[in-house]
Amino acid sequence: MMNAAGILISGFFDLLLVPFRTLPHFWGLLFISLLSGLGMITVFRFASNQNKISMLRRRMGGEILGILLHLSNPGTVVKFAVKLIWSNTVYLMYILIPLILLAIPFMLVWGQLDARYGAAEMDKDDPVTVTVFFEDGLPARDNLEIGVSGLELMPPVLFIDTLDEVSFRILPDGNSLRNLQIEGVSVKVARTGDWNGCRILRGFDSGSSFSRLFSPWIVRVDGGPGSGWYSLPDIRYAVFGGHWSWIAVFLLFSSISAIAGAKIFKVKI
Amino acid sequence: MQVILGWIEIDDTVILGNIFSRRHRRITIVAKYRVTGRNRFPFFILILLLYTASATAYVGPGAGFGIVTSFLVFLNAIIVSLFSALIWPVTVLIKLQRRRRREHRRTAKRVVILGLDGLSPDIAEKMMADGEMPVLNKLREEGTFSRLSTTCPGISPVAWSSFQTGVNPGKHGIFDFLAPDRKRYLAKLSSVQSGTAPSRTCLGPFRRTNMKPFVKLLRKSRPFWSLLKRYGIRSAVLRVPITYPPEPLDGHLLSGMCVPDLRGTQGSYTIFTEEEPQEAVTGGIWRRLQKQGKNRWRAELPGPQNIEGEYASVTIELDISGESAVLHIGKEKLKLKKGLLSDWFELRFRSDRRKVRGISKFCLTEDSIGKPLLYSTAVHVDPLFPSVPISHPVHYSKYLAGLYGPYATLGLAEDTWALNNGAVSEETFLEQAWSIFKERKNMFFDALERTHDGLIVCVFDTSDRIQHMFWGKGSAQGSPINEMYRRMDSLIGETAEKLGRKDMLIVMSDHGFTSFHTCVDFNRWLLENDYLFLEDGVETVDTSFKGVDWSRTRAWSMGLAGIMLNLRGREGKGIVEPGSEAVSLLCEISGKLLKLENTNGERVISSVYQSKSVYTGPYVSLGPDLVIGTERGFRSSWSSVTGGIGKEVLYRNERNWNGDHCHDHRLVPGTLASNIKLKTENATILDIAPTVLRALGVAAPGYMEGKSLIQEGAKQ
């Protein structure tokens, strides 16, 4: 169920990004950011008690002005400060419901964006370390089967007995379809498509859980060792060369669109 | 460390998370939580919040902004509190230094003046005797209660100007609500001048001249609270008439009477009906309700005027369903219940490329044929976003609106014209008056709470307006006036409870009240006595002396109590020579006026003063040449106030406005009460300013004419 939902959500984002396939990553991110901002401000408007928020904002404004007007009287200033903090607490309580409602869609968007813009796909000749965790204990060294397609396996394969982990390096050979076979299970590596804004896979897991929806960079596999993750090259990221650069772009443009939306639709925030 | 929260399973027993680090290490969360049906929801919330926190505390626009601004608010509160504590010793030192300038030992730590406009000593005394005003009675027994002579004439703008300056009208220049424009024979507001003036801006070689609006207070002299700054004494002045535009002071001031509405008038309501009223709407504007469907109407609500004199307006849509209705203005909705006044509603207009905000209340009723009648109060200046200065400092009005919600800012906020014209019922008018009273009370008590020493002045107008409109109903138990006096007594009681032992309370009114049953058309009287002449074919004049033959006219009347000579060199088309001709003409008119009687042989005029005999000071010439004091029941007619000339000299006042105070000022003294014993012999309104200054240890300046009422040897 969770996997199906995850596939649907990822598919939806893929669809949204179709017009930006040939453009740099930034444009797709910009579009999604603007859309997210508008979407979230709309949810906020309908999920929040706008009258109460408006009243509280006005009251807090009055309390701030009260502080400024009575600056020479510390007693009054402290009284207003306490009132202000209390009003602020009440205000936070009023935004709790929209905050909770927004949390799930927000996390979905967050995960999708991190999966698409948090890293660039591996390039030819980029060595990538793969670490595989075996839930049921390490297999015997001679029995471990590792196969690759579109990749080159670089020995040695390290066995870390204390952590039940196996580690090895792979080198992409330019093929766009990269697969790893471990213990007879095929796992996609690094990218799921061949366009800008596609998901970049950073691990795999055989479990199924609610959290899968929020971590679309992990591909689900049936059976196999348990879980694994790839250390993609640190030197190249999708947006402005930093892993978290996409956040700056996302925050900026989703905020701009949210503020514009709040202005246009007269949303009290 | 870059942390990504891994998968979480909600199961019957254990929830664990795997944290991946960049070093690819996995940390298993060891906390366990048994999730049952009862605690599943809070657990779910907790998990969501944990997840949200992981997203670098950004939870999306809206809620995210809320959290960020909340943090800033919190930070601001702490920083400003600390700053205030740091500067406190400095402010105390400055205050102490200034307080050393006091000429006397002060007798009160705080002086609180509760102004109850128009509170009549006659009614108050009667009700005290009947035990209906126990608080005022207690003040009389333990402190002071007496009559307070008012100014000549006893009109609010004149009296309150003298109250605040301690001088007669000849020194402050306010003689009436209206002042005559002697060149054009037109009425203008006596206290405020507003308009546009050229304003030049230079930026290097670029020069540009714009027309900028200005507003100017015409009251001369200085209000006594502005003198207190020098002595380190703070003041809170609320809604005292003739304080618009606000003048700087050490403290806070909210302007009162003469603050205009957004249309620039002293209050013009709007009435919406399907059919145009048969009679002209005085004091208001009519707009058509256009039917849009079975129960839907649309109309335009006019707001401010632009430079071309056109109204900027907003579209309103009315949906009526039974006894309730919804008013749509822009994207906002307001629910209405038939016959009940709504809350304040924010209106936004665009005028001359500016966004102007106002507030208004609405009331839906039915006209005589059962069709909807929508009433809108005047569009008040929004105190949160004032388009004209209504307070000092500017954000004081915002502060009050922030803490207590929107409030009436118009000078004459109670809509007496709407009741006069039947646009609202008596119940609606009273509802409006008492809601304004409540707003004022909130402001006043806020000032009492925040101002620990110094001066607090607040004027309540409710008493004046209710007496104007309900005088005919008497003051017996159950009448609106009786109810009003009782509430005022409670207000005095509540105020007294908030005072300390060292505080001085002064309860005062600017004038009293009496009846107004007969209109006296002074211009008609001048016409019939050959002092004023009309052009051929003109028999009556609606307003502004249209059709008056100025080449023969020797005297004219404008305002509530004044007659002016058509003096050569002063008036635009003056013919009376200044000097002996003028003096003898004044004596002649005075003598004839004093003989005026009605058909029952009752005297109409009780006093006529030549202005030079009652006023002194540099602005005497701005006032009328004769000040007329009418007997009880008689008052200047509605039309002659603004330069109209009717058919009769004396005729019955048919309006609801049947109580007044624009009579001989000796007949309508105000009230003075205090919690300390004052010397009340011959007390006048001019004595209040020196009394307050003396109580606060400040010597009254020499130009003030009043005397301190504080008894010598009075202790703090």
Side-chain angles (χ1 to χ4, degrees), chain B residues 450-612:
Chain B
R450 317 271 177 232
T451 313
H452 304 296
D453 65 2
L455 171 73
I456 301 161
V457 193
C458 183
V459 175
F460 288 78
D461 311 300
T462 320
S463 40
D464 181 79
R465 309 300 184 268
I466 287 181
Q467 289 183 98
H468 272 303
M469 305 313 289
F470 295 95
W471 187 264
K473 291 185 187 293
S475 59
Q477 272 195 2
S479 66
I481 290 182
N482 184 282
E483 170 69 14
M484 182 272 289
Y485 272 80
R486 282 165 179 266
R487 287 211 202 183
M488 293 302 158
D489 193 63
S490 301
L491 173 68
I492 300 167
E494 286 177 67
T495 308
E497 276 173 19
K498 292 179 186 293
L499 301 184
R501 274 192 315 114
K502 295 175 182 175
D503 294 338
M504 178 183 183
L505 171 66
I506 295 176
V507 180
M508 58 161 291
S509 64
D510 55 334
H511 52 70
F513 251 87
T514 187
S515 64
F516 169 30
H517 52 68
T518 302
C519 300
V520 188
D521 189 334
F522 289 118
N523 282 320
R524 185 80 214 175
W525 183 87
L526 290 169
L527 180 75
E528 290 183 1
N529 286 275
D530 295 337
Y531 297 112
L532 188 147
F533 291 87
L534 295 176
E535 289 167 358
D536 290 343
V538 178
E539 288 186 359
T540 58
V541 173
D542 287 338
T543 185
S544 308
F545 297 101
K546 285 171 190 159
V548 170
D549 181 354
W550 292 107
S551 63
R552 291 191 290 158
T553 294
R554 291 184 292 160
W556 52 297
S557 173
M558 182 177 273
L560 287 155
I563 286 182
M564 279 71 65
L565 297 184
N566 191 20
L567 215 58
R568 191 184 299 280
R570 188 183 69 175
E571 263 72 4
K573 295 171 184 170
I575 59 164
V576 178
E577 289 297 334
S580 58
E581 187 189 339
V583 172
S584 65
L585 184 59
L586 287 175
C587 291
E588 187 185 318
I589 294 172
S590 303
K592 282 188 183 177
L593 271 172
L594 285 167
K595 287 177 189 162
L596 180 65
E597 289 180 348
N598 68 0
T599 48
N600 299 331
E602 292 169 328
R603 223 160 70 129
V604 174
I605 309 293
S606 66
S607 63
V608 181
Y609 300 102
Q610 289 194 24
S611 62
K612 283 177 184 166

Side-chain angles (χ1 to χ4, degrees), chain A residues 37 40-41 44 58-59 62-67 69-74 76-77 80-81 83-85 88 91-92 95 99-100 103-104 106-107 110 133 163 209-211 214 217 229 231 234 237 243-244 250-251 254-255 258-259 264 266 269, chain B residues 2 4 6-9 20 22 24-26 44-45 48-49 51-52 55-56 58-63 65-67 70 73-74 76-77 80-81 83-84 87-88 91 234 252 331-332 348 384 393 395-396 398-399 401-403 405-406 450 452:
Chain A
M40 287 189 208
I41 206 71
F44 183 81
R58 199 188 60 211
R59 198 168 80 194
E63 284 157 358
I64 291 170
L65 289 173
I67 290 174
L69 283 168
H70 301 92
L71 213 52
S72 59
N73 187 343
T76 308
V77 167
F80 272 119
K83 279 186 177 181
L84 184 59
I85 290 166
N88 201 27
Y91 172 68
L92 283 173
I95 62 169
L99 191 145
I100 289 167
I104 292 175
F106 175 76
M107 287 186 292
W110 186 274
F133 168 66
L163 296 173
S209 72
F210 181 66
S211 68
F214 311 120
W217 55 84
W229 47 101
S231 68
D234 284 351
Y237 299 102
H243 179 84
W244 297 114
F250 176 66
L251 290 183
S254 65
S255 299
I259 290 168
I264 294 164
K266 296 195 171 30
I269 49 177
Chain B
Q2 175 187 338
I4 302 158
W7 43 93
I8 286 179
E9 294 172 11
F20 292 85
R22 290 182 75 173
H24 317 300
R25 289 283 181 265
R26 187 193 61 198
F44 183 68
I45 301 288
L48 278 178
L49 290 176
Y51 260 81
T52 312
T56 39
Y58 178 81
V59 284
F65 295 144
I67 288 175
S70 287
V73 163
F74 184 80
N76 170 59
V80 179
S81 301
F83 178 67
S84 169
I87 64 162
W88 182 67
T91 54
R234 280 174 74 80
H252 318 129
K331 287 174 185 166
E332 308 286 332
R348 295 166 194 214
L384 263 182
H395 44 267
Y396 184 56
K398 300 179 187 182
Y399 157 78
L403 289 190
R450 317 271 177 232
H452 304 296

Side-chain angles (χ1 to χ4, degrees), chain A residues 126-142:
Chain A
D126 277 343
V128 172
T129 305
V130 180
T131 307
V132 183
F133 168 66
F134 287 82
E135 270 180 352
D136 302 326
L138 284 179
R141 288 170 193 248
D142 298 339

